């Protein structure tokens, strides 16, 4: 039986996610409803593009619809906590785009309500669902590169000119947009809480949001993660290097949505799914199909959180995000 999806939000990421759902077998995935928060016409236009039978001009209307199995929340960051709480309290499973909250407080609120209501909630950090990440996990767990001692992650893209990114009222800032990807990578590799956290960054005084930052995390046994993200520099190799006592793994570029991994000089390819004729707004968005399949698997098994992206992982990542924001004196109005 197909998983019935509702799409909350009609922006670029919702378009990409919907394109991926339409590329998957209709016997497994169907989009049955979409809602836009600003106008009925936007929802109708979106519904027409993706052949969705039902459209709503408000999120509250979607809340009252019971004809779907899970809702994808792809709206602006500042609405994530508010809408997730509404849908979860109504007993509806939720896949929410990252970051699931703008604060640790908001993150905990959502996770606590999801547990209380006993419904599936997953933060949509799509990187975790890519086959390349599974391959890396297998190589580390099997001891093929020995004990991992350090990982280095760099994510530098010139996107600070994007209006939303430097608008604090819209949840802008480098950490919440790209830094969180570097941070989740460190957690993915070490799978524990760091013993010490060093953070620094540069805040745009006029906008009150961070433009770039650095985190150094020390884990047990003298292991380190060095993470750097920048929204002003020219794009280069946005890579992740994992150095072990017996070898090295590297994602040479696109570490957050990878199609290849280099292990001790040997490259292994992971081609993206064919999603023609759909076009996409963001790099390698075809990989959202992996996430959609992972969520369908959770629903079929009756899970309340994804083993690929657990509640504990979301809270751990947001704990470090909060420390970083506090150190830079950044506080958002939304939770």
């Amino acid at each position: 039986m197909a998983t019935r999806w509702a799409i909350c939000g009609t922006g670029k990421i919702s378009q990409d996610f919907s394109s991926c759902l339409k590329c998957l077998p209709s016997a497994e995935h169907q989009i049955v409803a979409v809602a836009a928060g600003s106008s009925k016409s936007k929802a109708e236009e979106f519904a027409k593009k993706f052949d969705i039978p039902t459209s709503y001009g408000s999120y509250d209307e979607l809340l009252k619809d019971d004809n779907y199995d899970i809702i994808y929340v792809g709206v602006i960051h500042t609405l994530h906590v508010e809408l997730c709480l509404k849908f979860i309290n109504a007993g509806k499973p939720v896949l929410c785009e990252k970051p699931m909250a703008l604060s640790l407080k908001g993150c905990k609120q959502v996770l606590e309500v999801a547990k209380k209501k006993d419904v599936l909630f997953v933060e949509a950090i799509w990187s975790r669902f890519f086959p390349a990440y599974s391959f890396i996990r297998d190589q580390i767990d099997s001891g093929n590169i020995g004990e991992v001692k350090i990982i280095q992650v760099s994510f530098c893209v010139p996107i600070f000119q994007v209006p939303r990114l430097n608008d604090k009222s819209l949840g802008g800032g480098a950490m919440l947009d790209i830094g969180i990807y570097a941070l989740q990578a460190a957690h993915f590799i070490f799978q524990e809480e760091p013993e010490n956290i060093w953070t620094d960054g540069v805040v745009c005084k006029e906008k009150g949001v961070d433009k770039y930052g650095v985190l150094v995390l020390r884990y047990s046994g003298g292991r380190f993660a060095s993470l750097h993200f920048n929204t002003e520099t020219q794009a280069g190799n946005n890579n992740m290097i994992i150095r072990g006592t017996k070898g090295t793994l590297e994602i040479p570029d696109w570490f957050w949505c990878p199609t290849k991994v280099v292990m001790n000089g040997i490259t292994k390819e992971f081609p993206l799914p064919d999603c023609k004729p759909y076009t996409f707004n963001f790099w390698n968005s075809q990989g959202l199909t992996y996430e959609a399949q992972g969520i369908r698997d959770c629903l079929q098994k009756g899970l309340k959180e994804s083993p690929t992206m657990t509640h504990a992982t979301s809270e751990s990542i947001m704990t470090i995000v909060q420390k970083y924001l506090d150190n830079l004196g950044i506080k958002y109005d939304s939770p």
Side-chain angles (χ1 to χ4, degrees), residues 84-85 88-89 108-122 304 311:
C84 284
L85 289 176
I88 293 170
N89 273 314
K108 287 183 174 181
Q109 278 184 306
V110 173
L111 298 180
E112 287 171 3
V113 173
K115 183 176 181 179
K116 179 180 179 181
K117 291 294 183 178
D118 198 33
V119 298
L120 175 68
F121 173 82
V122 183
K304 306 308 176 185
H311 291 182

Side-chain angles (χ1 to χ4, degrees), residues 95-242:
L95 172 65
C96 178
E97 261 309 326
K98 66 83 191 166
M100 60 171 285
L102 303 184
S103 68
L104 180 59
K105 178 182 177 181
C107 170
K108 287 183 174 181
Q109 278 184 306
V110 173
L111 298 180
E112 287 171 3
V113 173
K115 183 176 181 179
K116 179 180 179 181
K117 291 294 183 178
D118 198 33
V119 298
L120 175 68
F121 173 82
V122 183
E123 182 178 15
I125 295 186
W126 64 320
S127 308
R128 297 296 184 96
F129 296 88
F130 273 73
Y133 271 67
S134 296
F135 173 77
I136 288 172
R137 185 78 265 152
D138 289 344
Q139 299 310 308
I140 293 173
D141 291 347
S142 63
N144 287 342
I145 64 167
E147 182 185 5
V148 176
K149 289 295 186 180
I150 189 169
I151 77 162
Q152 300 158 275
V153 182
S154 179
F155 196 172
C156 301
V157 288
I159 56 174
F160 196 69
Q161 67 270 23
V162 175
R164 181 196 60 77
L165 192 64
N166 56 35
D167 190 335
K168 191 176 180 182
S169 68
L170 298 178
M175 167 57 84
L176 296 179
D177 207 76
I178 65 173
I180 197 169
Y181 282 121
L183 191 49
Q184 73 81 26
H187 189 281
F188 175 78
I189 299 304
F190 290 124
Q191 297 190 316
E192 66 177 51
E193 303 300 317
E195 294 181 340
N196 280 297
I197 303 169
W198 291 272
T199 72
D200 203 354
V202 173
V203 176
C204 176
K205 293 182 179 179
E206 295 81 11
K207 305 296 183 179
V209 297
D210 60 315
K211 296 187 290 185
Y212 42 92
V214 175
L215 292 89
V216 177
L217 312 176
R218 188 179 77 192
Y219 294 84
S220 62
R223 299 170 298 158
F224 281 87
S226 175
L227 316 174
H228 175 247
F229 50 97
N230 193 311
T231 59
E232 288 191 321
T233 62
Q234 287 299 309
N237 289 341
N238 292 302
N239 63 342
M240 173 167 66
I241 303 173
I242 306 161

